[in-house]
Amino acid sequence: MASRIRLSDLAEQAGVSTATVSRVLNGRSEVADETREAVLRALDLLGYERPEKLRERSGGLIGLIVPELTNPVFPQFVQHLSTNMLQQGFTPLLGTQFAAGSTEDSLVEAILHQGVDGLVFVSGLHADLNADTKRYESLVRNSIPFVTINGSNDKIDAPDFSTDDRNAVTQAMRHLVGLGHKRIAFTSGPLRFSPARAKYERYLECVEEMLPDSEPITSETLFTVEGGQAAARTVLDQGATAIICASDIMALGTIRYCIDQGMNVPEDVSVIGFDDSSVMPFLSPALTTVRQPVPAICHAAVRTLVAHIKHTSNQMDSATFKPELVVRETTAPPRG
């Protein structure tokens, strides 16, 4: 083993006695299955390598496909999904894409060769409304259970667990209109992705409902810092006093552009992000953003997938989760 196992740490994590931990590690049979699984989960969560003789007792593998890890919201999804899988007795097998490297299809092919029992896709090609869905249809034909996260697609026969993007934009617009803003912009990455499309369409509706005398101000770029900078330039040139960004990363680029132009946030322009990834409260100014309920999404997605894998439920229903506007320091009334 890479490090010596401390029985007391395992006992505390699993909520059992050190004697029970010892019996599990020694493969004794007089331990309830539920207790044994609790100790095995504690081993995984504390980073210990399972003893060889116990590995066959563990559950199967679940493939976890994410588009990248540079955006801090995706490691957050990986953490919560992995924890839920381990608690269910399954081991996550992570696959992540990168530029000029692994594609989603190549990752899935490699992971399937490992004999996984199911798959979780986070913000993958399932969210691309222009993408070919045959890759997912093949999984269905081969009876490989899978769920998608943040990318509902009516063409794919699988449950999706997503944040309510329309509600997110509604909250952001109400907040800015309440502060007195009348020139509110919306910036996003490619609108061919269903979450971006849902936000964009709701933004247009909100402008018509809440600001009937104003015109929409929009920019479609990329979900990157550079994309946020480019979008900020476009919408500020059109007189925007507030900007709703479709991701926190874009919001960071927007704030950087404003500062480079000698503008102050929020005195000269208000900025709202989307995700509330872990570092956002520690920025200066701290970002006002719409928080995705990541723990709840991950719990529901894994629970549903495992139920299908274990044939304890044939029903795999999609679910939508309400986000929360977190008001911090990047929004204020407009000047004048």
Side-chain angles (χ1 to χ4, degrees):
M1 281 192 181
S3 60
R4 186 182 178 191
I5 295 176
R6 289 171 54 92
L7 298 185
S8 58
D9 291 343
L10 284 173
E12 181 179 358
Q13 179 68 37
V16 298
S17 67
T18 55
T20 298
V21 171
S22 179
R23 284 195 290 272
V24 172
L25 296 181
N26 288 312
R28 302 281 290 274
S29 60
E30 65 272 18
V31 180
D33 289 341
E34 182 178 344
T35 301
R36 187 185 307 279
E37 286 300 322
V39 174
L40 294 179
R41 286 197 301 269
L43 276 168
D44 295 331
L45 291 171
L46 293 177
Y48 290 122
E49 189 175 332
R50 292 190 183 192
E52 186 68 33
K53 58 187 174 184
L54 296 180
R55 293 179 192 174
E56 293 303 315
R57 295 180 180 272
S58 64
L61 298 172
I62 293 179
L64 173 53
I65 311 293
V66 296
E68 56 160 318
L69 293 176
T70 54
N71 184 331
V73 76
F74 291 125
Q76 191 174 345
F77 270 106
V78 170
Q79 176 186 350
H80 286 282
L81 286 166
S82 298
T83 298
N84 277 277
M85 291 175 190
L86 291 168
Q87 290 174 345
Q88 294 281 348
F90 286 82
T91 300
L93 187 58
L94 177 64
T96 181
Q97 304 170 55
F98 54 92
S102 301
T103 64
E104 181 174 295
D105 289 342
S106 64
L107 286 171
V108 170
E109 182 179 359
I111 287 175
L112 290 178
H113 284 159
Q114 302 301 314
V116 295
D117 295 291
L119 293 163
V120 178
F121 295 91
V122 181
S123 300
L125 290 174
H126 60 91
D128 188 342
L129 298 176
N130 294 339
D132 192 338
T133 60
K134 289 182 180 179
R135 55 180 56 88
Y136 302 105
E137 295 168 7
S138 175
L139 295 174
V140 173
R141 285 196 307 271
N142 289 285
S143 300
I144 299 171
F146 69 95
V147 298
T148 61
I149 289 177
N150 281 349
S152 179
N153 190 329
D154 293 337
K155 298 178 182 178
I156 298 174
D157 185 18
D160 179 79
F161 300 86
S162 294
T163 299
D164 187 339
D165 296 294
R166 291 176 57 84
N167 183 274
V169 171
T170 301
Q171 291 189 53
M173 285 290 292
R174 285 175 177 167
H175 174 62
L176 293 172
V177 171
L179 290 173
H181 289 277
K182 299 183 184 301
R183 300 287 292 168
I184 301 172
F186 172 79
T187 66
S188 175
L191 296 179
R192 70 177 189 272
F193 293 101
S194 56
R197 172 62 62 176
K199 293 185 183 75
Y200 171 75
E201 291 177 348
R202 181 55 187 153
Y203 163 77
L204 297 179
E205 293 172 358
C206 284
V207 171
E208 185 175 348
E209 294 169 7
M210 303 179 192
L211 298 170
D213 296 327
S214 299
E215 293 293 326
I217 305 173
T218 65
S219 178
E220 178 184 1
T221 58
L222 298 173
F223 289 110
T224 61
V225 170
E226 294 77 15
Q229 291 175 293
R233 180 173 60 250
T234 298
V235 300
L236 289 174
D237 285 347
Q238 297 179 58
T241 63
I243 304 173
I244 299 172
C245 304
S247 76
D248 286 346
I249 295 299
M250 290 190 72
L252 296 184
T254 295
I255 293 172
R256 176 186 290 180
Y257 178 81
C258 293
I259 293 173
D260 289 345
Q261 298 304 307
M263 304 174 72
N264 293 319
V265 177
E267 292 83 2
D268 296 313
V269 58
S270 290
V271 178
I272 296 181
F274 177 81
D275 282 335
D276 196 29
S277 42
S278 57
V279 299
M280 296 306 121
F282 305 103
L283 302 177
S284 182
L287 182 66
T288 294
T289 186
V290 184
R291 176 182 297 159
Q292 289 202 64
V294 174
I297 292 173
C298 294
H299 176 76
V302 172
R303 181 185 60 189
T304 300
L305 179 60
V306 169
H308 190 64
I309 290 172
K310 293 183 175 180
H311 304 291
T312 57
S313 173
N314 292 322
Q315 189 71 26
M316 296 182 71
D317 292 328
S318 298
T320 304
F321 297 79
K322 185 177 180 179
E324 176 189 1
L325 177 67
V326 182
V327 179
R328 296 193 180 104
E329 299 172 349
T330 58
T331 52
R335 286 191 184 276

